[in-house]
């Protein structure tokens, strides 16, 4: 589990929060009373829920104390909890929610085949599980994996990999959830994120996917070299546009499962 930095994560607050808005506006639950945001981070996605469903009482849950502290400072009137989603989902006698919302978090948990149906157990009848995750197959993810597998970096990655996140194709979630849900809404969106330069793309991943890799390298000089090599390998995929800026396509998966 990587250590999260709320400040670094919020560098791209607008691009990181927009998928929560796109997800929330498609959720069809009339007058939800109780909503939980799993992996709420610094509170940005929970605030989207608050704007969408002002009548609901909201709980933000995250395993990072630093994230919850930032969320609490920004939104002191809301309810926040430091907890691991995998522990939370095991509680069979826990509270039920009208909406279980989760944006850019569940990819950090394993065994989605069991996890997703189990999340439905925490819904009230008529409720919805609404999830957004990044797509797994993207050039920057592949490049960090290739670096960790290379002989040059074997010292820091003896198993040829870091603990990393994982999402699957939408068909996988259809098969996992269809036997349990009354209705499913599944889609993907390619966001064409406009960045000032390549360095901003590296910075984006320093806030998320690169964290387990950089944490595995405990020598500062090697960490810098890893980042420099990462940027060099990304360069051909993200050329500067003739009109300025660098286009950074980013695919996200959306899953809404309703409980009848
Ligand atoms: C990329 S941030 C997403 C923040 C926010 N939901 C958003 O949409 O921008 C991922 C968050 O998931 C949290 N997280 C990852 N694994 C978790 C787990 N097993 N239990 C609880 N929170 C987890 C991290 O601490 C981090 O704050």
């Amino acid at each position: 589990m990587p250590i999260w930095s709320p400040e670094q994560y919020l560098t791209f607050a607008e691009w990181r929060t927009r998928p929560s808005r796109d997800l929330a506006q498609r959720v069809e639950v009339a007058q939800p009373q109780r909503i939980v945001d799993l992996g709420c981070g610094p509170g940005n996605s929970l605030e989207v829920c608050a704007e969408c469903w002002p009548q609901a009482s909201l709980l933000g849950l995250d395993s990072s104390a630093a994230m919850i502290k930032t969320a609490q400072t920004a939104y002191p009137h809301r309810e926040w909890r430091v907890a691991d989603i995998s522990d939370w989902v095991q509680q069979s006698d826990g509270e039920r929610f009208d909406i279980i919302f989760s944006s850019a978090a569940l990819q950090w948990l394993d065994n989605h085949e069991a996890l997703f149906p189990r999340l439905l157990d925490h819904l009230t009848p008529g409720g919805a599980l609404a999830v957004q995750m990044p797509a797994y197959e993207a050039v920057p993810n592949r490049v960090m994996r290739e670096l960790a597998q290379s002989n040059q970096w074997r010292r820091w990655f003896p198993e040829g990999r870091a603990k990393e996140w994982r999402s699957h194709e939408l068909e996988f979630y259809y098969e996992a959830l269809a036997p349990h849900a009354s209705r499913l809404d599944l889609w993907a969106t390619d966001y064409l994120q406009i960045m000032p330069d390549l360095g901003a793309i590296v910075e984006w991943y320093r806030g998320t996917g690169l964290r387990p890799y950089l944490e595995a390298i405990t020598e500062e000089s090697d960490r810098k070299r890893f980042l420099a090599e990462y940027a060099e390998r990304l360069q051909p995929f993200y050329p500067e546009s003739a009109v300025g800026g660098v286009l950074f396509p980013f695919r996200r998966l959306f899953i809404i499962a309703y409980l009848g």
Side-chain angles (χ1 to χ4, degrees), residues 1 4 9 16 20 37 39-42 44-45 61-64 67 83-86 103-105 108-109 208:
M1 170 81 61
W4 292 87
Y9 186 73
R16 294 207 196 273
S20 286
D37 179 10
C40 62
N44 54 327
S45 45
L61 182 147
D62 201 289
S63 54
S64 158
M67 284 293 200
D84 199 293
I85 298 164
S86 43
S103 179
W108 291 104
L109 283 92
T208 53

Side-chain angles (χ1 to χ4, degrees), residues 129-168:
L129 168 69
V131 176
Q132 180 278 122
M133 295 176 291
Y136 180 67
E137 288 305 336
V139 168
N141 304 330
R142 179 165 55 75
V143 169
M144 60 184 93
R145 289 199 295 271
E146 284 172 0
L147 271 180
Q149 280 160 14
S150 69
N151 284 339
Q152 191 199 346
W153 291 100
R154 200 33 74 90
R155 174 181 171 209
W156 297 110
F157 304 99
E159 290 172 21
R161 63 189 170 85
K163 159 88 182 127
E164 63 165 357
W165 60 270
R166 185 71 221 254
S167 63
H168 304 272

Side-chain angles (χ1 to χ4, degrees), residues 16-88:
R16 294 207 196 273
T17 306
R18 187 167 150 191
S20 286
R21 293 200 191 94
D22 295 346
L23 176 64
Q25 70 163 5
R26 289 277 286 268
V27 177
E28 294 171 6
V29 175
Q31 298 290 314
Q33 296 304 308
R34 187 74 168 134
I35 299 172
V36 63
D37 179 10
L38 299 179
C40 62
N44 54 327
S45 45
L46 189 90
E47 232 10 60
V48 168
C49 294
E51 284 160 20
C52 248
W53 299 290
Q55 77 290 345
S57 102
L58 305 159
L59 167 64
L61 182 147
D62 201 289
S63 54
S64 158
M67 284 293 200
I68 288 291
K69 192 166 174 230
T70 302
Q72 214 152 24
T73 307
Y75 312 103
H77 51 295
R78 306 231 179 270
E79 185 185 345
W80 305 103
R81 189 179 301 165
V82 178
D84 199 293
I85 298 164
S86 43
D87 296 333
W88 181 86

Side-chain angles (χ1 to χ4, degrees), residues 98 164 212 254:
D98 302 315
E164 63 165 357
F254 295 81

